[in-house]
């Protein structure tokens, strides 16, 4: 069922607010952005009936966890689009560390949030198709965080044990400051901050799945557009591949048990 679009007054009433429920906060964020909402405007919901994840997946959205979308308005000459989702991941991990220093939260490229060997959250950035005279380009950064419940999915999940109400204002502040910093100064500072928090540092053996199948190799680092650079195979002269949106898993080590954590 497609719900009717909201009126201007209904939209004004949900700006920077936590509402009881919706289908997806990213859909509401998009409506707010199309109506002209500014950089850093947000909408959050206690639960979602049609939460979306990356790569067309469903995001299970039970009450108690965090569901938040923030509108980002890059400047017209912005060139670092690939870094924006990574900046949001850094912002969310900084917010979690602010509440619980040394939480161990890590970023699994591009912007999954992991604690130990389990996924604790994810980020879905959705960009406007094309700017028009009325709607400048925007990105909706959607954050789903397992604050109190670890949903059952095909990937092992964990809950942070921090109430959503405690994290929400910090996450919004960090997202505003990290995105402003990327818009002004580009990705040079962000690159180091991301690498410090990465679950996939250089040398990590990984597998990735794309349209052409599943491949294995080792991480080499981040490219200039925020893409993951990997070697195809483990020979020293192996070809370098650039991953932009593929699903990446840590390669299970022989004898380390049958189930891969990521
Ligand atoms: C992922 O696949 O890991 C990304 C999940 C993103 C889920 C969040 S919850 C708030 C926002 N609204 C949605 O429908 N999705 C994002």
């Amino acid at each position: 069922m497609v719900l009717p679009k909201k009126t201007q007054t209904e939209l004004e009433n949900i700006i920077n607010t936590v509402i009881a429920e919706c289908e997806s906060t990213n859909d509401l964020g998009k409506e707010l952005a199309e109506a002209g909402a500014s950089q850093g405007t947000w909408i959050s919901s206690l639960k979602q009936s049609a939460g979306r994840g990356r790569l067309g997946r469903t995001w299970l959205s039970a009450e108690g966890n965090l569901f938040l979308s923030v509108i980002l308005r890059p400047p017209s000459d912005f060139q670092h689009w690939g870094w924006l989702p990574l900046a949001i991941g850094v912002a969310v991990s900084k917010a979690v560390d602010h509440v619980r220093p040394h939480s161990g939260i890590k970023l699994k490229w591009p912007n999954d949030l992991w604690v130990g060997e389990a996924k604790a959250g994810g980020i879905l950035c959705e960009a406007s198709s094309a700017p028009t005279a009325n709607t400048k380009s925007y990105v909706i950064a959607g954050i789903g965080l397992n604050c109190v419940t670890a949903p059952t999915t095909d990937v092992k999940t964990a809950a942070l044990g921090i109430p959503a109400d405690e994290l929400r204002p910090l996450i919004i502040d960090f997202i505003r400051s990290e995105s402003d910093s990327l818009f002004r100064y580009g990705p040079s500072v962000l690159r180091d901050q991301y690498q410090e928090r990465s679950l996939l540092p250089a040398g990590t053996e990984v597998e990735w799945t794309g349209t052409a199948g599943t491949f294995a190799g080792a991480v080499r680092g981040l490219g200039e557009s925020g893409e993951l650079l990997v070697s195809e195979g483990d020979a020293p002269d192996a070809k370098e591949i650039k991953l932009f949106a593929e699903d990446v898993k840590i390669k299970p080590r022989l004898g380390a048990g049958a189930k891969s954590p990521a």
Side-chain angles (χ1 to χ4, degrees), residues 105-184:
I105 196 153
K106 292 272 182 189
L107 296 167
K108 178 168 162 281
W109 185 90
N111 49 12
D112 272 8
L113 295 136
W114 283 63
V115 174
E117 297 192 340
K119 178 164 172 167
I123 292 162
L124 174 68
C125 286
E126 297 181 307
S128 56
S129 36
T132 67
N134 296 327
T135 63
K136 288 187 294 178
S137 58
Y138 61 82
V139 171
I140 307 301
I143 298 96
L145 210 51
N146 302 337
C147 289
V148 293
T149 315
T152 306
T153 72
D154 51 355
V155 168
K156 191 174 167 194
T157 60
L160 296 168
I162 307 173
D165 286 347
E166 199 175 334
L167 278 170
R168 189 182 298 104
L170 287 163
I171 291 177
I172 294 163
D173 280 355
F174 276 109
I175 286 179
R176 287 173 174 165
S177 59
E178 289 299 323
S179 55
D180 281 344
S181 160
L182 179 64
F183 296 158
R184 276 168 198 240

Side-chain angles (χ1 to χ4, degrees), residues 10 21 23 36 39 49 60 85 100 149 153-154 211-212 221 250:
E10 283 170 332
E21 63 179 304
E23 292 189 339
Q39 154 78 6
S49 57
L60 297 172
R100 186 178 302 150
T149 315
T153 72
D154 51 355
T211 45
I250 297 179

Side-chain angles (χ1 to χ4, degrees), residues 51-74:
R52 288 194 293 280
R54 284 183 70 240
L55 307 173
R57 296 184 185 119
T58 297
W59 188 257
L60 297 172
S61 307
E63 196 154 354
N65 289 341
L66 178 81
F67 314 109
L68 167 72
S69 296
V70 183
I71 294 160
L72 305 171
R73 296 250 182 221

